[in-house]
Amino acid sequence: MSGTLQRIGISLPVADCSELKNIEYIPECFEYVELSGETIADAAKLHKDHPVLSEFEFFNFRNIISSSLTCQLTGDNQVIIQEYKKQLRTLFALASGCKAQYVSIDPDWETLYNNQERMQIFADVLSSTAGDRDFYNINLLISVRLPGSGAVPAAESLQLLHKLPPHRVKLALDIHPHELINSNIEWEKLLRKFRFDAPVLRFCYASELGNKLLYVHIAPVIEALKKLRQEVFIYLAPSGKAALEELVQTAQAINAKE
């Protein structure tokens, strides 16, 4: 079966814009670029200052606010709540400087799942900043880790998402394939649940430990996406330094004719 062609991007784990100068080129098989949230302060200058990015119309940003800060959103920290909202508005504005389609955060799903007060506060944050997302024409993605890091099943994030203000708020699935090699996940069944709520999927791996992302590691997920005819942004996401040319074969295999 030949499924719908997937849109493939590269998620660059650069913590500082100066690191972009060490990247000589980005292979043309990558249509999109996602950058770490630490670089968002220089968003408006990225095209001008870094020739390697000049061919890309826009960039997206990952983890613009740390989950540790989100965990401080409690009823006892009203000042932090107001500062959090203010920071989100500022980050939306910065991201719009390079025409970002989305920014993402990791809210610590387990904390929200187990604490109704924090869930309500987080919902208020999203509601209060909905107008800003509209004004800057940007979407906020909430990252979901697979496999989950705690006692809350990843699929529960959908129930939580549907309790949040929906305007321009979706999910991003962070799949760690090396941790799932011996799992028995029914990917078609799982991805069907996220079909209308997760426009972004990242294949994350610990490149700084010498791991490589091969197509065989992600084949079950890609095959499920093709069966569902689900179009998503797919990002190959090394966690540290990685040779981008080594990922070309994996990217090409995703859309190989069958």
Side-chain angles (χ1 to χ4, degrees), residues 23 61 64 92 100 108 129 134 150 155 160 165 176 178 186 215 219 243:
I23 301 176
F61 295 90
I64 59 171
F92 293 157
D108 187 345
T129 56
D134 237 6
L160 294 179
H176 294 252
H178 292 96
E186 296 180 51
Y215 181 73

Side-chain angles (χ1 to χ4, degrees), residues 147-245:
S149 56
V152 181
E156 294 292 341
S157 61
L158 277 174
Q159 294 184 26
L160 294 179
L161 175 71
H162 296 158
K163 293 179 181 178
L164 295 171
H167 189 64
R168 291 183 174 271
V169 177
K170 295 286 187 179
L171 300 177
L173 301 184
D174 285 357
I175 298 177
H176 294 252
H178 292 96
E179 299 178 27
L180 296 167
I181 290 176
N182 295 317
S183 69
N184 295 314
I185 294 178
E186 296 180 51
W187 284 107
E188 186 175 350
K189 181 179 179 180
L190 178 63
L191 293 175
R192 189 181 298 276
K193 295 179 180 179
F194 290 96
R195 193 170 188 177
F196 302 108
D197 296 296
V200 167
L201 185 154
R202 303 184 186 102
F203 288 115
C204 307
Y205 69 105
S207 58
E208 78 277 8
L209 298 180
N211 290 336
K212 297 182 184 299
L213 184 66
L214 305 177
Y215 181 73
V216 66
H217 298 142
I218 63 176
V221 183
I222 299 301
E223 290 169 5
L225 288 174
K226 289 183 177 181
K227 288 180 181 178
L228 293 171
R229 300 192 66 80
Q230 184 174 352
E231 293 186 42
V232 297
F233 286 94
I234 294 176
Y235 285 95
L236 308 188
S239 60
K241 185 176 181 180
L244 300 187
E245 60 271 15

Side-chain angles (χ1 to χ4, degrees), residues 36-38 61-66 104-106 143 174 202:
S36 300
E38 292 93 335
F61 295 90
R62 178 182 178 187
N63 295 339
I64 59 171
I65 296 182
S66 69
S104 74
I105 61 174
D106 176 2
S143 299
D174 285 357
R202 303 184 186 102

Side-chain angles (χ1 to χ4, degrees), residues 36 55 68 73 116 119 155 246:
S36 300
E55 64 185 85
S68 61
L73 299 179
Q116 185 62 31
M119 182 67 178
E246 292 182 357

